[in-house]
Each structure stands twice: as C-alpha cells, then as structure tokens.
C-alpha cells in the first residue's frame, strides 16, 4: 500500500477533481439519502450543519474532496479509498488487514466518524466535519475504483473519453455518471436523484432495496466496520465483473465513451442509488444510537 502513496499524491496533485465520484455523483447520493432520512436524523443533521434547506446533505457532500487538498485536511486523503490488492479481472476481494494502510482507509474512516457522531464527545466543529465525512465516504465506498489498488485505482490507466485524454478512474468518477444524469451541476444531481428515488419506490430497485440495508448496524465499532466492509466488497466486485472485465489491455489507450460506458451505466446507477439509500439508514441509525 505504501507504494501507492506517492503515486496517489502525484495523481491527486495533477487531477484535483478526479479522485472521487465527482461532486455531482456525491450530490446525487446525498439527494437520494435526503429522501429517505427519518425526521429525527433530518432535524439533527440540519441543526448540526446549520442548514434547514432541502439541500442540507447535498451541499456538503463534496466538501471532503476539497478538504483533502488543504494543509489541515491532508491527513484525510487516504480515507477516500481502500486499496484492495486483489487480482482483477480474475479475482476480486477486499481484505481489511491486507488492504487498509496504516494511515487509514475508507472503511475505518466511516467507522471513526460514525462513532464520533454517536458519542458526541468532540466539539461542534468536529461533529460537523464528522457529518460531512460520513456523507462523503458513503458515496466514495460505492465507486468500484475507490476499492481497488491496481494502477492506483485506475488513475494510471490512460484512456480517452469522447476524444479527450483522461484516465479510467476519472471516467468512473465523472464521465459515466454525467453520461447518465446529463451534466455536472447540482440540478443534474437533483433530477437524477429523483429518477433513482422513483426506481427505489416503485421501479426496478423496489424489490432489492430492503436487501441493501440488511445487516446495516452502527451498534458497535465492529458492526460499523463489518457494514462498511460489506459495502466495499460489493463495490470492489464490480472491478472484476465490469470495470476491468476483459483486463487492462482491452481498454488502455482506447476511447471508452461508447460500448464500455453503455455497459457500465447500470452499475453506476445502482451503486449511486444504493449508497444514497444506505446513507439515509446510516444517518438514522447514528441518531438513534446517540
Ligand atoms: C479519526 O478522526 C480523527 C479526527 O479527524 C483523526 O484525528 C484520527 O486520526 C482518525 N482515526 C482514524 C483511525 O482514522
Ligand atoms: Zn472522495
């Protein structure tokens, strides 16, 4: 894992926006979540974040991606991913002992900030940070390439998209989500989220949604870790089944805006919907445990 740190920093410096679902993806997760958050969690987080508007989760959903590039927030950069050292496409899997670096990873970060929100022993300013971290990492953990070490989570796999040079990680963060929602703005996020909410309430996701949250628990640190690890493992499995299905060489230096994107869209849509729904139940569980 340590071998990845300098490379990750380099990529981060070169591509500040390209290390997480783009802001639009995070906002969509947050808007889906806002739709399902119960009234106790809604009032707690609106109050904590000082925002009583309907956008209280979406407005802070991408904050952690700017914080990580500040001096104060640099420590949090490794919290956005877990470097699964598996062997895609032939074998995928996350092993916490193997894959979570000493400086932390998204699974422990979710646990850490979740337990801070439950215990409420830190300052209000730190509780606000904890809330923004949980809202953000619930999204990141659903991006398959945030749960993969190979080629720095795809940052080192050069591809083009509609003729523009980019890398596979950025394509999954932003190009594919935007190919579904139609844009990168907060209003694209809002309208995509409403489509996803309809699919959850009465469409193709209706029969699955209860399964997405089965076993979800914040009862103990171990419960928080095992829930987050389950999310990471599910997300990582897409690296073998879709992201690198035919191996790196099949897509490296090709334009992935056509068939590749069409094949990836259903997985991206599902991951965003699922993580939004899970985030709502997670925030409810936090407030219930306080
Ligand atoms: C938990 O969060 C605090 C506050 O941001 C941070 O100082 C600490 O290093 C984190 N611990 C872990 C294990 O991530
Ligand atoms: Zn992130």
């Amino acid at each position: 894992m340590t071998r990845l740190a300098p490379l990750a920093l380099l990529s981060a410096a070169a591509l500040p926006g390209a290390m997480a679902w783009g802001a639009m993806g995070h906002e969509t997760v947050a808007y889906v979540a806002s739709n399902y958050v119960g009234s106790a969690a809604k009032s707690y987080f609106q109050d904590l974040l000082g925002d009583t508007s309907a956008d209280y989760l979406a407005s802070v959903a991408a904050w952690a991606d700017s914080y990580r590039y500040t001096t104060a927030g640099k420590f949090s950069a490794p919290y956005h991913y877990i470097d699964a050292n598996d062997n895609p496409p032939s074998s995928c899997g996350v092993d916490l002992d193997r894959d979570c670096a000493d400086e932390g990873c998204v699974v422990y970060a979710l646990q850490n900030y979740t337990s801070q929100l439950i215990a409420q022993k830190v300052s209000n300013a730190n509780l606000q940070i904890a809330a923004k971290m949980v809202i953000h990492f619930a999204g990141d953990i659903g991006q398959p390439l945030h749960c993969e070490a190979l080629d720095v989570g795809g940052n080192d796999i050069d591809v083009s998209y509609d003729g523009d040079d980019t890398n596979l990680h950025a394509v999954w963060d932003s190009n594919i989500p935007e190919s579904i929602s139609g844009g990168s703005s907060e209003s694209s996020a809002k309208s995509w989220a409403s489509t996803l909410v309809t699919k959850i309430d009465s469409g193709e996701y209706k029969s699955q949604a209860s399964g997405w949250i089965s076993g979800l628990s914040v009862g103990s640190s171990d419960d928080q870790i095992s829930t987050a690890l389950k999310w990471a493992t599910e997300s990582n499995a897409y690296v073998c089944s879709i992201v690198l299905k035919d191996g790196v060489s099949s897509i490296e230096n090709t334009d992935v805006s056509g068939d590749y994107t069409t094949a990836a869209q259903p997985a991206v849509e599902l991951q965003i919907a699922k993580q939004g729904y899970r985030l709502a139940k997670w925030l409810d569980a936090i407030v219930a445990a306080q």
Side-chain angles (χ1 to χ4, degrees), residues 19-21 26 62 64-65 68 79-81 136-137 140 146:
M19 294 293 287
W21 290 125
H26 282 286
D65 276 332
R68 64 186 289 185
Y79 297 178
H80 294 247
Y81 53 84
H136 184 85
F137 297 145
D140 274 348
H146 277 248

Side-chain angles (χ1 to χ4, degrees), residues 211-254:
W212 297 345
I213 53 165
S214 85
L216 182 154
S217 171
V218 301
S220 67
S221 293
D222 283 350
D223 292 338
Q224 296 158 15
I225 290 167
S226 72
T227 304
L229 181 59
K230 178 182 165 191
W231 297 349
T233 302
E234 245 176 60
S235 182
N236 162 273
Y238 283 109
V239 178
C240 283
S241 64
I242 296 181
V243 182
L244 295 175
K245 182 162 100 42
D246 301 311
V248 173
S249 59
S250 72
I251 46 170
E252 193 152 40
N253 299 316
T254 70

Side-chain angles (χ1 to χ4, degrees), residues 105-209:
C105 64
V106 68
V107 170
Y108 283 120
L110 267 170
Q111 183 274 316
N112 187 20
Y113 291 110
T114 295
S115 57
Q116 288 182 26
L117 286 164
I118 293 172
Q120 297 189 90
K121 299 241 167 68
V122 298
S123 67
N124 219 53
N126 283 326
L127 287 174
Q128 286 176 348
I129 290 178
K132 294 181 206 176
M133 294 292 199
V134 167
I135 294 162
H136 184 85
F137 297 145
D140 274 348
I141 202 169
Q143 209 278 47
L145 286 170
H146 277 248
C147 301
E148 178 54 50
L150 186 74
D151 288 323
V152 197
N155 275 283
D156 287 350
I157 302 175
D158 292 333
V159 295
S160 61
Y161 194 94
D162 267 338
D164 293 331
D165 289 341
T166 181
N167 68 73
L168 192 66
H169 189 103
V171 164
W172 276 80
D173 275 348
S174 300
N175 301 90
I176 300 173
E178 288 166 21
S179 76
I180 305 168
S181 71
S184 59
S185 67
E186 197 169 331
S187 70
S188 298
K190 208 173 210 165
S191 66
W192 187 17
S194 88
T195 307
L196 296 177
V197 163
T198 305
K199 290 189 181 192
I200 294 169
D201 288 344
S202 53
E204 63 179 290
Y205 299 149
K206 189 173 192 288
S207 60
Q208 310 173 29

Side-chain angles (χ1 to χ4, degrees), residues 25-38 41 57 135 138-139 193 196-202 205-216 227 231 234 269-285:
H26 282 286
E27 286 157 7
T28 308
V29 167
Y31 277 126
V32 170
S34 327
N35 194 78
Y36 296 105
V37 163
L57 299 178
I135 294 162
L196 296 177
V197 163
T198 305
K199 290 189 181 192
I200 294 169
D201 288 344
S202 53
Y205 299 149
K206 189 173 192 288
S207 60
Q208 310 173 29
S210 64
W212 297 345
I213 53 165
S214 85
L216 182 154
T227 304
W231 297 349
E234 245 176 60
E269 189 145 62
L270 176 61
Q271 286 299 91
I272 297 271
K274 204 199 270 177
Q275 291 309 119
Y277 193 72
R278 285 170 166 169
L279 174 59
K281 305 298 170 180
W282 193 257
L283 298 179
D284 282 350

